[in-house]
Amino acid sequence: MDRSSLLQLIQEQQLDPENTGFIGADTFAGLVHSHELPLDPAKLDMLVALAQSNERGQICYQELVDLISSKRSSSFKRAIANGQRALPRDGLLDEPGLGVYKRFVRYVAYEILPCEVDRRWYFYRHRSCPPPVFMASVTLAQIVVFLCYGARLNKWVLQTYHPEYMKSPLVYHPWHRARAWRFLTYMFMHVGLEQLGFNALLQLMIGVPLEMVHGLLRISLLYLAGVLAGSLTVSITDMRAPVVGGSGGVYALCSAHLANVVMNWAGMRCPYKLLRMVLALVCMSSEVGRAVWLRFSPPLPASGPQPSFMAHLAGAVVGVSMGLTILRSYEERLQDQCGWWVVLLAYGTFLLFAIFWNVFAYDLLGAHIPPPP
């Protein structure tokens, strides 16, 4: 039912004869029953919560329209939160007779969302089309590129030590920083099988569920923002080093998700969350430590500096700032939030500074950049 037909039905039934902007919950419930309005269980639960949040047990007409049309503003979510005591105590974990795919959707809801209302909303509104194609496509492209270079170089571990590796048009190297595409395309190249495996695993285990819940546009924006921030940060802080791997985007996703879990610890229902949090932090820290070791204590003689580790840290900063703002805004318009514009302004300022740095600082500081092999 769309907004116009709902308005017409309410007017015909004279549910708000005094034009107060509110409708009695019992009256509307009778309307739903008599006209068999197609409201899914999640919306019916939220309808009860909206009525509970009002002192007189009434529903704001605008909030009712937003509910029917699947729009959720910040005030709408606050009203839902205030009336959550009226929601049924049983959650999605008690839903019987679900198929394999719906059980996976339920698993994703409990992994990503901290609120039972949001979990039910996502579960009943989720559609399998479009699928989470961004993270899957990026991971597949990274695997294909790695296999191509592995076969060409006949090297599958520490590929960066091969003299032909740095000649790739995808790698970011400070000598070629004028080729702007390299600030993004380096995410398709990897040091070796171990780095590719780590990144691919996290992209599929964390990136795909995040994309299923928050959508392609938001997650692709977060991932690419982490990748771009990674290469630009290296160009400022580690001026002589190249960059390879999608760790900037991966750490943006992981840091945003972990920060969201910590800030909503009581509401998260994912099993063994403390153990999984510790394991995730240990794995991410180990990968950073490994990158630092390869940068400053390379195990093999190399013709130039090895890839920098600063992309990992830059991605984590993007995740905690921009990523957390995105993940906390489920089903809300980002442009309506002041915090989003603050984060966007900070990121834009960083981009402008990094561009000017790459254009002028290398010559002004007289930085000696060894050419690629």
Side-chain angles (χ1 to χ4, degrees):
M1 172 174 289
D2 56 23
R3 176 172 178 165
S4 58
S5 58
L6 175 64
L7 174 61
Q8 182 179 0
L9 181 60
I10 291 177
Q11 290 177 343
E12 290 176 354
Q13 298 294 323
Q14 295 184 349
L15 301 182
D16 185 22
E18 299 180 0
N19 295 321
T20 61
F22 288 87
I23 303 170
D26 295 337
T27 304
F28 184 77
L31 180 67
V32 171
H33 178 73
S34 60
H35 288 78
E36 297 182 351
L37 298 182
L39 290 178
D40 61 45
K43 291 184 178 181
L44 289 175
D45 289 344
M46 291 182 183
L47 180 65
V48 176
L50 286 172
Q52 183 69 17
S53 66
N54 184 273
E55 295 179 354
R56 299 183 179 180
Q58 296 178 322
I59 306 169
C60 175
Y61 170 72
Q62 184 59 50
E63 292 174 347
L64 176 61
V65 172
D66 289 342
L67 177 63
I68 299 298
S69 58
S70 299
K71 296 179 181 178
R72 305 178 72 192
S73 63
S74 298
S75 59
F76 177 88
K77 294 189 72 175
R78 284 195 297 270
I80 288 291
N82 291 335
Q84 277 185 353
R85 295 191 183 95
L87 291 176
R89 291 300 178 183
D90 56 327
L92 292 179
L93 291 177
D94 304 312
E95 290 280 348
L98 298 178
V100 175
Y101 182 73
K102 291 301 289 185
R103 286 201 297 269
F104 177 67
V105 172
R106 180 179 63 184
Y107 164 80
V108 169
Y110 277 97
E111 284 291 311
I112 303 300
L113 296 171
C115 175
E116 184 66 26
V117 173
D118 287 339
R119 289 191 284 259
R120 294 177 67 86
W121 178 275
Y122 167 74
F123 179 80
Y124 288 111
R125 292 189 64 242
H126 174 77
R127 300 294 180 267
S128 58
C129 187
V133 295
F134 176 76
M135 293 310 310
S137 300
V138 168
T139 304
L140 179 61
Q142 291 171 339
I143 294 174
V144 170
V145 169
F146 177 79
L147 292 176
C148 291
Y149 276 90
R152 176 184 173 186
L153 305 177
N154 194 25
K155 192 174 181 64
W156 304 97
V157 178
L158 298 179
Q159 288 185 348
T160 52
Y161 288 93
H162 197 286
E164 296 293 322
Y165 184 86
M166 288 299 171
K167 295 181 180 180
S168 169
L170 301 178
V171 173
Y172 167 78
H173 193 283
W175 187 271
H176 298 307
R177 65 186 182 279
R179 302 172 184 176
W181 70 83
R182 292 175 179 257
F183 285 92
L184 285 174
T185 57
Y186 78 92
M187 71 181 185
F188 296 110
M189 305 290 291
H190 287 81
V191 172
L193 184 61
E194 65 286 351
Q195 186 191 24
L196 173 65
F198 179 80
N199 287 348
L201 183 64
L202 290 180
Q203 286 173 179
L204 295 178
M205 291 185 61
I206 296 180
V208 169
L210 286 176
E211 186 178 348
M212 289 179 62
V213 173
H214 296 281
L216 182 148
L217 291 179
R218 293 190 177 192
I219 298 306
S220 62
L221 172 63
L222 175 57
Y223 185 87
L224 294 177
V227 170
L228 183 59
S231 56
L232 290 174
T233 300
V234 171
S235 71
I236 296 173
T237 61
D238 199 358
M239 299 170 64
R240 301 175 67 248
V243 190
V244 296
S247 298
V250 171
Y251 274 64
L253 295 178
C254 293
S255 299
H257 178 56
L258 293 179
N260 191 43
V261 170
V262 171
M263 294 190 66
N264 299 279
W265 189 262
M268 298 300 294
R269 295 282 300 277
C270 49
Y272 308 109
K273 55 186 177 182
L274 179 58
L275 176 61
R276 293 165 63 182
M277 172 75 70
V278 173
L279 289 176
L281 292 176
V282 169
C283 291
M284 293 172 66
S285 301
S286 300
E287 174 62 18
V288 173
R290 173 185 167 278
V292 174
W293 172 64
L294 290 176
R295 173 67 179 90
F296 295 110
S297 300
L300 297 174
S303 57
Q306 287 299 294
S308 176
F309 60 91
M310 291 302 298
H312 299 70
L313 305 182
V317 172
V318 171
V320 173
S321 55
M322 179 185 293
L324 187 58
T325 303
I326 290 177
L327 298 193
R328 295 182 64 187
S329 306
Y330 171 65
E331 287 291 312
E332 294 184 42
R333 289 161 53 92
L334 290 174
Q335 56 267 37
D336 293 340
Q337 302 182 51
C338 179
W340 169 249
W341 292 107
V342 172
V343 171
L344 210 58
L345 177 62
Y347 190 82
T349 303
F350 165 73
L351 289 183
L352 290 177
F353 173 78
I355 292 173
F356 278 98
W357 182 275
N358 279 273
V359 173
F360 300 110
Y362 280 77
D363 294 332
L364 292 176
L365 297 177
H368 174 67
I369 306 300

